[in-house]
C-alpha cells in the first residue's frame, strides 16, 4: 500500500494540482469540504504513526457516493488524525453532526439510573431492544492503519479484559480464525457473527487487511452482551435482548462498558476520549457517544402514514430495515434508533429512543383503530 | 493505507513474531517462500519510493489461495522492488517460471520475421488470434503503489505516444472517466472495454485506487490494435483479429510496440527492462515477455480425449475458457495460449502457439474421422530448443 512517508515525500514532487483527486462526480462529506487549496495545505502532513491526507480520504475518493445516504468519505488512522487534519475533519464533523462546532464540548453520561422509564415498551410491538457503541484503545492505530502486531495486541488485551468479567457478564471469546463449524453456526443463528466486510466503503480504507487475523467475537453465557474485536473499530460493544425492556439493556450496557474500561485502565490502556470529540472512533460519523440504540418495532400502519419521515425527524430518530443499515423493512417491522451521536450524552440519546418509540406505538395503535394522530405530532426536538 | 515508512519504522517496535503473518491456511507462491526468518530479515527494508515488505505481500496475506490456480501472492510497487526484495522474489520466480535461476538471462526477440509460418491456421477451427503483453514506464511507481500524479503522468505520456501513431496504427483514446454511453456500448460490443477490477487479488494490492482516474482505452481505427492504460500494469498492449493469421497479428504487435517504445524513449521514459527479468511488470507471473499469445479454437473432440491435458503440457500450452482466465469453455471452443513467460523470447513463445495449435487442429480432424492420434502425441518440448 502506497501511503507511506517516503512515498508521501515523493508525491510532493508533483504539484498539488497534479495530485488533487477528481471529485467532480462525488457526493460525500469529504468531497464537499476538500478544496484544492485545502488539499495543498494538508498534503505534506502526517500523524506520528505516519497516516497521511491521502490515507484519510482514500475511501471517499474511491466511493463517490451512495444512492441513499450521504457517506462521510474519510477515516481516522489513529487518535492524532483528528488533530493533524482538523481543517478537513472539523467541517466534515460539523456538517455531519448537526452543526457541532470545533469549540463545542461533548458530554459523556453512562449512568443508567439517569434514564427515565424505558422498561415498559409494549412487547406486542417492540420485538427486541439493542444498544451498541465502539471503543478505541489508546496507544494503538485504528483499523485502517494498524499493523498485524498492533491488531493482535488489541485482541490480546481485549481477551484478557473480557476474560475477567464475572456474574451476568461472564463469557467466552471465539477467534474468527479458529472457529469450529458448530460454533460458527451457533453464532450465525444467534445473529452474532460478523463477516469480512464487503462494503467498498470499508474495503477501500484498508480495514479488511489480514482478515481474519486477530478478529473475534466475545459474548456472555446469557447471550445478552457481545463484543466484536477488530472489525470496523477496535471494539464494538453490544447489549441486546428480546422484547421492550430498553432500561435493562441500557443498564447492562453501561455496567459492562464501565467494567471493561476499568480492566483496560488497569492494564495501562484507556479508551481514546477527549472533551471535544468524546469517544474517538474510526469513522467521524461515530464520534461522541458512538452510540446507536434501537428497537425492532412493528409499525405497519404508521410507516405508511404520509408524515412518518417527518415524525422521525422531529423525534431525532432514524429508520432502517431489520437487516441493519441499507436494508429494507420486512413485514412492517422497522429498526428505529437515535439519529445523533455527538453533542448529546448516552443517556440523552437512549431517552430519545425510549420516549420516541413510546409515542410511535401510541400513534400506531390509533391508526389501527382508524383514528387520527395529528394531535400527537411532536415538535422538533 | 498503512504501509508507510514512518509506520514501517513504528512497526519495528513490535517483534518479528508479532508482525509475521499467519500463513498456515495459505497456498500461494509467497506463502511457500516467506518464512519467519525471511520476514525478519526483510521487514525493515524499503525501495526508494517507499514500498515495503508488507506492501509486497499484502495481496497474498489477504487471499490465501485460489481453488484452481496457484496464485503468486505478491506484487512489485516499482522497478526496484525486484532488487530490494530479491530474497523473496527470486525463489518465487524460480518456482513459478520453471526453475528460472537468479543468474539466468532472458532473451527479448520482437523481430516478427523470425516467426516461421503462422499465417495458415485453419479458420474453420481457429476463430480468432490474439497477442497481449504489458509494459511499465521507467521512472514511475507501479499500479499497486503509484499516486494520482504519477498515474496521470503515465496517462499523459501514453496518450501523446499513441496519438502520434499513423497508418494502420492511427487511432483514438477513450478515458474511462469521460466516456459517453455510446462509446461505452461500442467498446463493450467490441470486447475492448475493461472495468474496475473486482478480483480480490487485485483489490488487495491497491491497484483500483482512485478509479477511474487516469484509466483509459486506446485503439486504432481498424480495431486490431488496442492499449489499456493504467489497469493492472501501466500499459497492456493487445493485437487481435478474427481468423487464424497469427503471423499478421504478431507482426502488428511487434511493429506497434516498437513504435510506441521509440516515442517513450524520446521522452526519456523507456520501458522497464533488464537482462535478467526482461520486461518488468507488476505481477511476477508476467515477467520476461509478459506475453500471452493465443487463439480461440474449436476442439470439441480433442478436448474430451484422455490425453488432452498431457498434450497441452508437452506443447507448453495452457487452456482457458473463452471468457479468459478462470472461465469455462463454451461449445468446445477453447482459448489456447503459451504457458511460459520468462526464459524464452516472444518469438519462441508465439512459435509454440503456432506449431502447437497446428498440431492440435490436425488431431481434431483425425478424431472427427474416428482415427487414432496416438502416433501424433508429441514429446515434451523444452523451453529453448536447438
Amino acid at each position: 500500500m502506497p501511503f507511506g512517508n517516503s512515498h508521501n515525500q515523493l508525491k510532493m514532487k508533483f504539484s498539488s494540482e497534479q495530485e488533487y483527486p477528481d471529485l467532480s462526480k462525488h457526493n460525500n462529506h469529504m468531497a464537499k469540504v476538500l478544496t484544492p487549496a485545502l488539499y495543498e495545505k494538508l498534503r505534506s502532513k502526517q500523524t506520528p504513526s505516519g497516516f497521511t491526507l491521502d490515507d484519510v480520504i482514500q475511501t471517499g475518493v474511491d466511493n463517490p457516493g451512495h444512492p441513499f445516504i450521504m457517506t462521510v468519505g474519510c477515516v481516522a488512522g489513529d487518535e492524532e488524525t483528528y488533530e493533524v487534519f482538523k481543517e478537513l475533519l472539523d467541517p466534515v464533523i460539523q456538517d455531519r453532526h448537526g452543526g457541532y462546532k470545533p469549540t463545542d464540548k461533548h458530554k459523556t453520561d453512562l449512568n443508567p439510573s439517569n434514564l427515565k422509564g424505558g422498561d415498559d415498551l409494549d412487547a406486542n410491538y417492540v420485538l427486541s431492544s439493542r444498544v451498541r457503541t465502539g471503543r478505541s484503545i489508546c496507544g494503538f492505530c485504528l483499523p485502517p492503519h494498524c499493523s498485524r502486531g498492533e491488531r493482535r495486541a488489541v485482541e490480546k488485551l481485549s481477551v484478557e479484559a473480557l476474560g475477567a468479567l464475572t456474574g451476568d457478564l461472564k463469557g467466552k471469546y471465539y477467534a474468527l480464525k479458529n472457529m469450529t463449524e458448530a460454533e460458527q453456526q451457533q453464532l450465525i443463528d444467534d445473529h452474532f457473527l460478523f463477516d469480512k466486510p464487503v462494503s467498498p466503503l470499508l474495503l477501500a480504507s484498508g480495514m479488511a487487511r489480514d482478515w481474519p487475523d486477530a478478529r473475534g467475537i466475545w459474548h456472555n453465557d446469557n447471550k445478552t452482551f457481545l463484543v466484536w474485536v477488530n472489525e470496523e473499530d477496535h471494539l464494538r460493544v453490544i447489549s441486546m435482548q428480546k422484547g421492550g425492556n430498553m432500561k435493562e439493556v441500557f443498564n447492562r450496557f453501561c455496567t459492562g462498558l464501565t467494567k471493561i474500561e476499568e480492566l483496560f485502565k488497569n492494564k495501562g490502556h484507556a479508551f481514546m476520549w477527549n472533551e471535544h470529540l468524546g469517544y474517538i472512533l474510526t469513522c467521524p460519523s461515530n464520534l461522541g457517544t458512538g452510540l446507536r440504540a434501537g428497537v425492532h418495532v412493528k409499525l405497519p400502519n404508521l410507516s405508511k402514514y404520509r408524515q412518518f419521515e417527518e415524525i422521525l425527524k422531529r423525534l431525532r430518530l432514524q429508520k432502517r430495515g431489520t437487516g441493519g443499515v441499507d436494508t429494507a423493512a420486512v413485514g412492517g417491522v422497522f429498526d428505529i434508533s437515535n439519529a445523533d451521536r455527538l453533542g448529546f450524552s448516552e443517556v440523552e440519546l437512549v431517552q430519545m429512543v425510549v420516549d420516541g418509540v413510546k409515542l410511535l406505538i401510541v400513534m400506531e395503535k390509533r391508526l389501527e383503530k382508524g383514528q387520527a394522530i395529528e394531535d400527537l405530532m411532536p415538535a422538533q426536538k | 493505507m498503512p504501509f508507510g515508512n514512518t509506520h514501517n519504522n513504528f512497526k519495528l517496535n513490535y517483534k518479528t513474531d508479532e508482525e509475521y503473518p499467519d500463513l498456515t491456511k495459505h497456498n500461494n507462491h509467497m506463502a511457500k517462500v516467506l518464512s519467519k526468518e525471511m520476514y525478519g530479515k526483510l521487514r525493515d527494508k524499503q525501495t526508494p519510493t517507499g514500498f515495503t515488505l508488507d506492501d509486497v505481500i499484502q495481496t497474498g496475506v489477504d487471499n490465501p489461495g485460489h481453488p484452481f490456480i496457484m496464485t503468486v501472492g505478491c506484487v512489485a510497487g516499482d522497478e526496484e522492488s525486484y532488487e530490494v526484495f530479491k530474497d523473496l522474489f527470486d525463489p518465487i520466480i524460480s518456482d513459478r517460471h520453471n526453475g528460472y535461476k537468479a543468474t539466468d538471462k532472458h532473451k527479448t526477440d520482437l523481430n516478427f520475421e523470425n516467426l516461421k509460418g503462422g499465417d495458415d491456421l485453419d479458420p474453420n477451427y481457429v476463430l480468432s488470434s490474439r497477442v497481449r503483453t504489458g509494459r511499465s514506464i521507467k521512472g514511475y511507481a507501479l499500479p499497486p503503489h503509484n499516486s494520482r500524479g504519477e498515474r496521470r503522468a503515465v496517462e499523459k505520456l501514453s496518450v501523446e505516444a499513441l496519438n502520434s501513431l499513423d497508418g494502420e496504427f492511427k487511432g483514438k483514446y477513450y478515458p474511462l472517466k469521460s466516456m459517453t454511453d455510446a462509446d461505452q456500448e461500442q467498446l463493450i460490443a467490441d470486447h475492448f472495454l475493461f472495468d474496475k477490477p473486482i478480483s480480490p487479488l487485485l483489490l488487495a494490492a491497491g491497484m483500483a485506487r482512485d478509479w477511474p482516474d487516469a484509466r483509459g482505452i486506446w485503439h486504432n481505427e481498424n480495431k486490431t490494435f488496442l492499449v489499456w492504460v493504467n489497469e493492472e500494469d501501466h500499459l497492456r498492449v493487445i493485437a487481435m483479429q478474427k481468423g487464424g493469421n497469427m503471423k499478421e497479428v504478431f507482426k502488428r504487435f511487434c511493429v506497434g510496440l516498437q513504435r510506441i517504445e521509440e516515442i517513450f524513449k524520446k521522452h526519456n521514459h523507456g520501458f522497464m527492462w533488464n537482462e535478467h527479468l526482461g520486461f518488468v511488470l507488476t505481477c511476477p507471473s508476467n515477467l520476461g515477455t509478459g506475453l500471452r499469445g493465443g487463439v480461440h479454437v474449436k476442439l470439441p473432440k480433442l478436448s474430451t480425449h484422455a490425453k488432452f491435458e498431457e498434450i497441452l503440457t508437452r506443447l507448453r500450452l495452457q487452456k482457458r475458457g473463452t471468457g479468459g482466465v478462470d472461465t469455462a469453455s463454451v461449445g468446445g471452443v477453447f482459448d489456447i495460449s503459451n504457458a511460459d513467460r520468462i526464459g524464452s523470447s516472444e518469438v519462441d513463445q508465439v512459435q509454440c502457439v503456432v506449431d502447437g495449435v497446428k498440431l492440435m487442429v490436425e488431431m481434431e480432424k483425425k478424431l472427427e474421422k474416428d482415427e487414432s492420434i496416438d502416433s501424433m502425441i508429441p514429446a515434451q518440448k523444452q523451453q529453448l530448443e536447438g
Side-chain angles (χ1 to χ4, degrees):
Chain A
M1 295 296 124
F3 301 115
N5 312 97
S6 296
H7 199 229
N8 207 40
Q9 297 315 308
L10 188 87
K11 275 187 271 180
M12 298 304 293
K13 292 190 194 155
F14 288 82
S15 72
S16 186
E17 211 191 312
Q18 288 169 315
E19 288 292 349
Y20 179 70
D22 180 348
L23 301 173
S24 51
K25 296 196 178 79
H26 286 58
N27 182 37
N28 57 49
H29 284 293
M30 179 277 292
K32 286 173 73 178
V33 171
L34 187 68
T35 59
L38 187 58
Y39 184 81
E40 173 149 30
K41 190 166 180 201
L42 299 177
R43 68 193 285 243
S44 58
K45 296 187 190 306
Q46 66 179 3
T47 67
S49 74
F51 207 61
T52 64
L53 177 63
D54 279 332
D55 292 335
V56 173
I57 67 172
Q58 189 66 56
T59 182
V61 175
D62 287 350
N63 296 287
H66 191 282
F68 308 137
I69 58 183
M70 177 71 142
T71 47
V72 177
C74 52
V75 290
D78 52 25
E79 193 164 7
E80 295 83 353
T81 302
Y82 288 103
E83 189 54 42
V84 172
F85 299 105
K86 66 192 327 315
E87 283 162 83
L88 168 66
L89 294 173
D90 279 350
V92 168
I93 288 166
Q94 188 152 355
D95 206 13
R96 177 58 172 223
H97 292 282
Y100 193 78
K101 297 191 296 299
T103 48
D104 284 338
K105 300 276 178 272
H106 171 81
K107 194 177 87 177
T108 293
D109 181 359
L110 282 160
N111 185 346
S113 1
N114 290 340
L115 183 71
K116 302 187 197 36
D119 52 354
D120 61 350
L121 297 173
D122 189 337
N124 293 312
Y125 293 82
V126 177
L127 306 178
S128 59
S129 307
R130 179 184 188 264
V131 182
R132 68 85 160 153
T133 190
R135 290 293 185 263
S136 308
I137 320 296
C138 272
F140 299 104
C141 292
L142 299 175
H145 192 49
C146 62
S147 70
R148 283 180 294 273
E150 289 181 290
R151 203 185 294 112
R152 289 164 178 172
V154 165
E155 183 191 38
K156 185 162 187 283
L157 258 177
S158 303
V159 172
E160 277 173 30
L162 296 165
L165 293 172
T166 59
D168 174 43
L169 297 172
K170 186 169 170 321
K172 184 179 166 186
Y173 182 68
Y174 302 85
L176 248 57
K177 77 175 174 185
N178 47 31
M179 204 173 271
T180 67
E181 300 251 342
E183 284 164 346
Q184 187 174 299
Q185 195 53 57
Q186 187 60 57
L187 287 165
I188 291 172
D189 294 341
D190 293 327
H191 305 288
F192 283 175
L193 188 65
F194 67 90
D195 217 340
K196 180 173 180 176
V198 295
S199 163
L201 303 175
L202 298 182
L203 293 177
S205 69
M207 287 184 221
R209 288 168 302 117
D210 312 314
W211 202 275
D213 197 304
R215 273 83 167 191
I217 292 163
W218 179 98
H219 70 78
N220 67 350
D221 296 336
N222 298 338
K223 297 186 183 175
T224 53
F225 193 74
L226 165 67
V227 179
W228 290 353
V229 179
N230 286 318
E231 195 239 8
E232 190 182 326
D233 284 292
H234 286 163
L235 302 176
R236 282 287 177 97
V237 178
I238 302 153
S239 171
M240 60 200 267
Q241 66 193 45
K242 294 230 181 284
N245 196 342
M246 182 60 93
K247 193 170 188 51
E248 197 170 82
V249 170
F250 188 55
N251 214 322
R252 186 182 311 111
F253 176 81
C254 294
T255 308
L257 251 184
T258 315
K259 289 228 170 95
I260 295 171
E261 183 159 19
E262 258 174 57
L263 291 162
F264 271 97
K265 275 196 183 141
N266 290 345
K267 292 177 179 301
H269 285 280
F271 291 149
M272 289 182 198
W273 180 94
N274 68 51
E275 61 171 7
H276 166 50
L277 295 178
Y279 288 101
I280 303 286
L281 294 176
T282 303
C283 181
S285 70
N286 280 322
L287 291 166
T289 60
L291 184 140
R292 192 171 90 84
V295 298
H296 283 188
V297 57
K298 289 194 233 180
L299 300 171
N301 293 294
L302 184 59
S303 57
K304 298 204 208 77
Y305 185 73
R306 73 191 182 291
Q307 288 198 284
F308 183 47
E309 306 278 349
E310 180 61 21
I311 292 165
L312 289 174
K313 191 160 165 294
R314 292 189 187 187
L315 294 174
R316 307 194 75 87
L317 299 176
Q318 62 170 212
K319 74 182 197 307
R320 300 182 182 191
T322 48
V325 70
D326 286 357
T327 64
V330 175
V333 180
F334 285 80
D335 176 318
I336 303 290
S337 64
N338 52 294
D340 301 301
R341 301 276 183 273
L342 175 69
F344 298 90
S345 75
E346 289 80 354
V347 166
E348 284 167 347
L349 294 178
V350 179
Q351 193 70 64
M352 280 184 220
V353 175
V354 159
D355 297 345
V357 169
K358 208 159 182 175
L359 177 63
L360 294 176
I361 292 171
V362 169
M363 289 176 159
E364 178 69 20
K365 287 173 171 171
R366 285 258 192 113
L367 291 171
E368 274 171 22
K369 293 187 250 170
Q371 292 167 2
I373 58 168
E374 277 85 2
D375 60 307
L376 295 175
M377 283 296 288
Q380 177 65 56
K381 277 180 82 68
Chain B
M1 293 292 126
F3 299 117
N5 314 96
T6 304
H7 199 229
N8 207 40
N9 294 335
F10 191 71
K11 275 188 269 178
L12 295 176
N13 290 330
Y14 288 81
K15 306 199 293 287
T16 296
D17 230 38
E18 290 166 327
E19 289 290 349
Y20 179 67
D22 180 349
L23 302 173
T24 49
K25 297 196 176 83
H26 286 57
N27 182 37
N28 56 50
H29 284 291
M30 180 278 292
K32 286 173 72 179
V33 169
L34 186 68
S35 63
K36 198 178 286 188
E37 292 65 42
M38 186 183 286
Y39 184 82
K41 187 175 177 197
L42 298 177
R43 68 193 285 241
D44 60 354
K45 297 190 189 308
Q46 64 180 9
T47 67
T49 69
F51 207 60
T52 65
L53 177 64
D54 279 333
D55 292 334
V56 172
I57 67 172
Q58 188 66 56
T59 181
V61 174
D62 287 350
N63 296 287
H66 190 283
F68 307 138
I69 58 183
M70 176 72 143
T71 47
V72 176
C74 54
V75 290
D78 50 25
E79 192 165 9
E80 297 82 354
S81 295
Y82 287 105
E83 188 54 42
V84 173
F85 299 107
K86 66 194 323 315
D87 289 356
L88 171 66
F89 279 114
D90 281 350
I92 288 173
I93 289 166
S94 182
D95 205 14
R96 176 59 172 222
H97 294 284
N98 309 308
Y100 193 75
K101 298 192 292 300
T103 48
D104 283 338
K105 301 275 178 275
H106 172 80
K107 193 178 88 177
T108 294
D109 182 0
L110 282 160
N111 185 345
F112 60 89
E113 283 169 358
N114 290 340
L115 182 71
K116 304 188 200 30
D119 51 354
D120 62 349
L121 299 173
D122 189 337
N124 292 311
Y125 293 83
V126 178
L127 306 178
S128 59
S129 306
R130 181 184 187 264
V131 182
R132 69 89 158 149
T133 190
R135 290 292 185 263
S136 308
I137 319 296
K138 268 182 103 66
Y140 298 107
L142 297 175
H145 191 47
N146 56 11
S147 71
R148 282 180 295 273
E150 288 182 290
R151 204 184 295 113
R152 289 163 178 173
V154 164
E155 183 192 37
K156 186 163 185 283
L157 255 178
S158 304
V159 172
E160 274 176 37
L162 294 165
N163 282 344
S164 65
L165 296 174
D166 59 5
E168 70 163 323
F169 294 105
K170 190 166 175 318
K172 185 179 165 185
Y173 182 66
Y174 302 84
L176 251 55
K177 76 174 176 185
S178 53
M179 204 171 271
T180 65
D181 281 350
D183 282 340
Q184 187 173 298
E185 301 233 355
Q186 187 59 59
L187 287 165
I188 291 172
D190 292 327
H191 306 288
F192 283 176
L193 188 63
F194 67 90
D195 215 344
K196 181 172 177 176
I198 51 176
S199 164
L201 303 175
L202 298 182
L203 294 177
M207 284 184 224
R209 288 170 300 116
D210 313 312
W211 202 276
D213 198 303
R215 273 85 168 189
I217 293 162
W218 179 96
H219 69 77
N220 66 351
E221 283 163 20
N222 298 339
K223 298 185 181 178
T224 53
F225 192 74
L226 165 67
V227 178
W228 290 351
V229 178
N230 285 320
E231 194 237 10
E232 191 183 325
D233 283 291
H234 287 163
L235 301 177
R236 283 288 177 97
V237 178
I238 302 153
M240 59 201 266
Q241 67 192 43
K242 295 228 181 284
N245 195 341
M246 181 60 95
K247 195 176 187 57
E248 197 170 82
V249 171
F250 187 56
K251 179 180 173 178
R252 185 178 314 111
F253 175 82
C254 294
V255 172
L257 252 184
Q258 273 154 338
R259 292 223 184 135
I260 297 170
E261 183 162 16
E262 268 168 47
I263 302 167
F264 275 99
K265 276 194 180 143
K266 282 212 194 93
H267 285 90
N268 292 318
H269 283 283
F271 292 148
M272 289 183 197
W273 181 93
N274 66 57
E275 61 171 8
H276 167 50
L277 295 178
F279 289 102
V280 176
L281 294 176
T282 303
C283 182
S285 70
N286 281 320
L287 291 166
T289 61
L291 184 142
R292 195 171 89 84
V295 298
H296 282 188
V297 57
K298 288 193 232 181
L299 300 171
K301 296 208 168 320
L302 184 60
S303 58
T304 53
H305 189 276
K307 296 232 179 134
F308 183 47
E309 303 282 344
E310 178 61 21
I311 290 165
L312 288 172
T313 302
R314 293 190 186 192
L315 293 174
R316 311 193 75 85
L317 300 175
Q318 63 172 212
K319 73 181 196 305
R320 299 179 184 191
T322 47
V325 68
D326 286 358
T327 64
S329 87
V330 175
V333 180
F334 285 81
D335 176 318
I336 303 289
S337 63
N338 52 299
D340 301 312
R341 298 280 183 271
I342 194 171
S344 50
S345 73
E346 288 81 354
V347 168
D348 293 330
Q349 290 166 9
V350 177
Q351 194 70 66
C352 266
V353 175
V354 159
D355 297 346
V357 169
K358 201 160 187 179
L359 178 63
M360 292 199 296
V361 168
E362 283 170 32
M363 287 175 162
E364 180 71 19
K365 287 172 173 172
K366 280 263 179 115
L367 291 171
E368 277 172 17
K369 292 184 259 172
D370 277 327
E371 292 169 15
S372 160
I373 57 166
D374 292 340
S375 62
M376 298 168 76
I377 308 272
Q380 175 66 55
K381 268 178 85 67
Q382 298 311 306
Q383 201 171 1
L384 294 172
E385 316 219 286

